[in-house]
């Protein structure tokens, strides 16, 4: 049985068109609930994801790094878990920092998520950029962030992109060596 064509701005898999504020970008949004806080955050997931790059895929391929001779980053589920948890925490509680509210740094969060490989890590943060291309462009314009994106020693990544209550996306990307 064939599905009917989608209405303008809608999805063939949904009975109603997408809301106007969702038509601006091709993200699918899934609501997540933070236990105990009674507040919500939205996880932004790219359509057509295969599980590896579905969290926005902010820099899985790193085209600029590829020109430099770097291999594509491999997405790691434990890094994704740590990145998403930090992005969700920042979105729900309205802060923006490499340190969690409880004082943990990104290395502590990566290890707590169960990632035991590597001896070198990096974390990039962003807020307000609507697409993976825009956030990567912002990071490429910052010398410190650009150095992390172009560091060929990093082999694994995890990305978290969470929309806060005002519709602003908070991004976290983690990098790790083998």
């Amino acid at each position: 049985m064939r599905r009917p064509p989608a209405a303008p701005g809608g999805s063939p898999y949904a009975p109603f068109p997408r809301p106007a504020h969702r038509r601006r970008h091709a993200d699918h949004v899934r609501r997540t609930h933070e236990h105990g806080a009674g507040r919500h955050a939205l996880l932004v997931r790219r359509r057509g994801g295969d599980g590896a790059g579905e969290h926005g895929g902010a820099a899985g391929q790193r085209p600029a790094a590829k020109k430099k001779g770097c291999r594509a980053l491999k997405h790691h589920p434990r890094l994704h878990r740590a990145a998403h948890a930090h992005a969700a925490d920042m979105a729900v509680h309205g802060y923006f920092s490499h340190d969690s509210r409880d004082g943990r740094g990104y290395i502590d969060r990566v290890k707590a998520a169960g990632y035991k490989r590597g001896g070198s890590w990096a974390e990039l943060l962003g807020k307000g950029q609507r697409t993976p291309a825009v956030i990567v462009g912002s990071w490429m314009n910052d010398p410190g962030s650009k150095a992390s994106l172009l560091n060929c020693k990093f082999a694994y990544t995890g990305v978290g992109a969470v929309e806060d209550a005002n519709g602003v996306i908070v991004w976290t990307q983690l990098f790790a060596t083998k």
Side-chain angles (χ1 to χ4, degrees), residues 162-176:
V162 178
E163 197 170 296
D164 70 10
N166 298 319
V168 176
I169 299 176
V170 179
W171 300 85
T172 301
Q173 181 161 9
L174 293 166
F175 298 92

Side-chain angles (χ1 to χ4, degrees), residues 35-82:
H35 297 286
R39 298 174 76 182
H40 291 85
L42 297 173
L43 168 64
V44 177
R45 304 186 88 163
R46 299 302 294 169
R47 288 187 177 184
D50 60 359
E54 64 189 10
H55 298 285
Q61 298 306 314
R62 300 189 298 174
K66 187 175 181 181
K67 289 179 187 174
K68 212 180 131 182
C70 300
R71 291 185 179 172
L73 292 168
K74 293 179 184 174
H75 294 271
H76 197 285
R78 290 185 177 138
L79 293 176
H80 279 299
R81 186 178 313 130

